[in-house]
Amino acid sequence: RPAPAARRRTRGPGTAPWLGGRVAGPAADWPCLGLGGGDAGPVVALAHGLPDARFVGYALAPTAVARDNDLIGALGLTNIEVRDGDVAALPDELGTFDYIVSHGVFSWVPAVARQGILRVCGRHLAPAGVAYVSSNANPTGLLREMARPMLRYHLQIRRAPV
């Protein structure tokens, strides 16, 4: 059974550029690069909903990449690949993309990684392409900041020797 993110229905990445005055072409003309996060669920969902488009995901998280690739295989998707690697140092032969998505990663990576993501956008974004780079901000981001240490604390208690 696919993960919830892969079951989402999507209209594709063409909605936001249309609202901004850019009219997107057919789905086959929408190469999309997903950067970081360790969970390519949103990019997998897009690949599932747009079988004629091309998707590439990168994350520096081997376990998450393996899990994503298992999901991609289970769904039988051939228009997406997820690779383990430093999102700030992508190979030039990767080419250009009409869409580059880095959702929430800016919130928790160091400044050097944020600069690297912006360099990747400059190097791999096609002319008239759209880079969607977001960060988690308060008040919603604050909830995540509060929950993480609480969960870690409670997990630490449970793992304590008896």
Side-chain angles (χ1 to χ4, degrees):
R1 186 170 154 185
R7 290 194 311 261
R8 281 186 236 154
R9 296 294 296 165
T10 179
R11 291 182 168 263
T15 304
W18 177 80
L19 293 172
R22 178 178 187 263
V23 179
D29 295 335
W30 289 354
C32 180
L33 175 63
L35 297 177
D39 176 11
V43 178
V44 173
L46 287 170
H48 187 264
L50 298 166
D52 294 329
R54 176 176 73 100
F55 296 88
V56 178
Y58 265 90
L60 191 56
T63 303
V65 169
R67 188 175 52 244
D68 291 334
N69 283 319
D70 288 345
L71 174 60
I72 290 165
L75 293 171
L77 300 176
T78 59
N79 61 336
I80 181 173
E81 59 180 302
V82 178
R83 301 175 184 176
D84 178 34
D86 184 354
V87 299
L90 301 185
D92 287 333
E93 63 270 7
L94 196 59
T96 59
F97 295 83
D98 286 337
Y99 297 90
I100 297 179
V101 178
S102 182
H103 183 54
V105 177
F106 256 51
S107 303
W108 52 268
V109 296
V112 67
R114 291 191 299 266
Q115 293 166 356
I117 289 170
L118 294 177
R119 276 194 308 277
V120 165
C121 290
R123 194 168 58 242
H124 293 284
L125 189 63
V130 174
Y132 177 78
V133 180
S134 70
S135 63
N136 297 326
N138 292 335
T140 306
L142 183 59
L143 295 175
R144 188 175 289 176
E145 284 180 35
M146 290 179 355
R148 185 170 188 225
M150 286 188 279
L151 290 171
R152 289 177 65 103
Y153 174 77
H154 287 289
L155 286 172
Q156 189 176 27
I157 290 173
R158 288 183 182 201
R159 291 185 181 166
V162 178

